[in-house]
Amino acid sequence: MHPAPSALRRAAAAATIALLATAVGCAPQPEDKASDASSSSAGATCAKGGLATKTTGKLTIATDEPAYEPWFKDDKPANGEGFESAVAYAVAKQLGYDKSAVVWQSVPFNKAFAPGVKTFDFDINQVSISTERKKAVDFSSGYYDVRQAVIALKGSKAAKATSIAGLKGLKLGAQVGTTSLDYITDVVKPSQEPAVYAKNDQAKSALKNGQVDAIVTDLPTAFYITAAEVTDAKTVGQFENQGGTPEQFGLVLDKGSDLTSCVTGAVDALRKDGTLAKLEKQWLSDAVDAPVLK
């Protein structure tokens, strides 16, 4: 027995409705809903105190040992004193981690930005942001604009230099892997090979012992060395920034780290609300001026 034509029409209509319902269920979500989901997921990435850190619930921050003033105080990064220690805790707070959730780790300066997986969430150790270093690691936005400076013993030939040309015949020294060393080789271009040291302490000793005529460090470190550590030395002068943009220190992270955008956001917020300027004034106010070497 065959179904009546009207029954066939009803069955066909029902099948069509079912197919349409299925099609609608599988259709792409409207643009606004998709973007809502995306932004919600991005927001969760930087959830306060809930980042994908090396240790859940903790923020691991690295720096070199010893930790020099004025960046740190008494060689104790965890005490919150000194510019970089204070900045590190301010960034941690911005990310949702209080002081008790911060774990400090010792990592040599040159290893912080060497290729390879990192054991820290970020490193803070006067590391200048550069295109070359960005090939191996990520950087946050800059937390401090810096210049390089020359230190020499008072009364020496080097102490009388007033220009880059006056440095060319001298024996200069700096820490390995630093922008300070780059300024010697790329800007001064001395006639003698520069002396290269694993740590600034060794460079300071070489200066005191007359093994080098002068050493190059960042400007705040130069002011601290001459004021508190090698008091018979002086800051001869500072270099102009090269390339038209200021040299900046940045926080170092794993290459491709999920934390990079969150940490950058934290640094940007601290710059915008005046925290970085306040901390700079508190800890680096003595490093305000030195003659410019051209």
Side-chain angles (χ1 to χ4, degrees):
M1 182 176 173
H2 297 288
S6 60
L8 284 170
R9 282 197 298 274
R10 284 195 300 273
T16 301
I17 290 167
L19 282 169
L20 283 171
T22 305
V24 169
C26 295
Q29 295 295 307
E31 291 283 341
D32 57 344
K33 289 194 184 291
S35 70
D36 283 350
S38 162
S39 66
S40 152
S41 150
T45 313
C46 293
K48 297 278 187 182
L51 303 181
T53 52
K54 297 292 181 183
T55 302
T56 304
K58 300 285 185 183
L59 188 67
T60 303
I61 304 176
T63 196
D64 202 353
E65 185 180 8
Y68 300 107
E69 299 196 29
W71 310 104
F72 299 91
K73 193 164 175 59
D74 301 327
D75 193 19
K76 294 177 181 176
N79 65 14
E81 298 184 47
F83 180 71
E84 288 193 327
S85 180
V87 168
Y89 280 116
V91 170
K93 184 178 179 182
Q94 196 73 28
L95 294 172
Y97 295 87
D98 62 25
K99 199 168 182 179
S100 65
V102 172
V103 178
W104 285 92
Q105 190 179 90
S106 174
V107 172
F109 177 83
N110 225 21
K111 280 195 173 182
F113 50 87
V117 178
K118 307 305 175 196
T119 55
F120 50 77
D121 294 311
F122 69 76
D123 178 278
I124 183 165
N125 190 24
Q126 306 113 66
V127 182
S128 296
I129 301 168
S130 74
T131 304
E132 187 62 30
R133 289 172 180 171
K134 281 183 178 179
K135 293 175 184 176
V137 294
D138 280 359
F139 281 97
S140 70
S141 51
Y143 61 87
Y144 180 65
D145 296 354
V146 66
R147 285 193 175 192
Q148 299 299 315
V150 179
I151 307 167
L153 296 179
K154 294 172 183 174
S156 66
K157 180 183 176 183
K160 297 179 177 68
T162 57
S163 66
I164 291 172
L167 301 171
K168 287 188 181 293
L170 304 178
K171 182 71 173 178
L172 304 175
Q175 185 177 353
V176 65
T178 59
T179 311
S180 305
L181 183 58
D182 291 341
Y183 267 73
I184 294 175
T185 57
D186 300 340
V187 178
V188 179
K189 299 177 182 175
S191 55
Q192 302 181 56
E193 279 293 311
V196 183
Y197 302 97
K199 292 184 179 291
N200 259 339
D201 273 349
Q202 295 169 347
K204 287 183 291 188
S205 295
L207 179 64
K208 285 193 282 189
N209 297 333
Q211 295 166 304
V212 291
D213 297 308
I215 60 174
V216 178
T217 70
D218 58 78
L219 187 57
T221 298
F223 272 92
Y224 180 75
I225 288 173
T226 55
E229 296 182 321
V230 188
T231 53
D232 56 343
K234 63 175 281 190
T235 302
V236 178
Q238 62 180 307
F239 295 105
E240 291 183 301
N241 285 315
Q242 302 300 301
T245 55
E247 178 186 347
Q248 292 186 313
F249 291 157
L251 305 177
V252 182
L253 300 96
D254 255 327
K255 185 68 178 171
S257 171
D258 291 338
L259 303 183
T260 302
S261 61
C262 302
V263 173
T264 288
V267 172
D268 290 344
L270 294 172
R271 185 178 289 279
K272 186 176 180 181
D273 70 12
T275 299
L276 291 180
K278 181 182 173 185
L279 294 176
E280 184 178 330
K281 185 176 180 182
Q282 180 181 356
W283 295 107
L284 304 179
S285 59
D286 290 339
V288 290
D289 196 22
V292 176
L293 302 168
K294 296 182 180 180

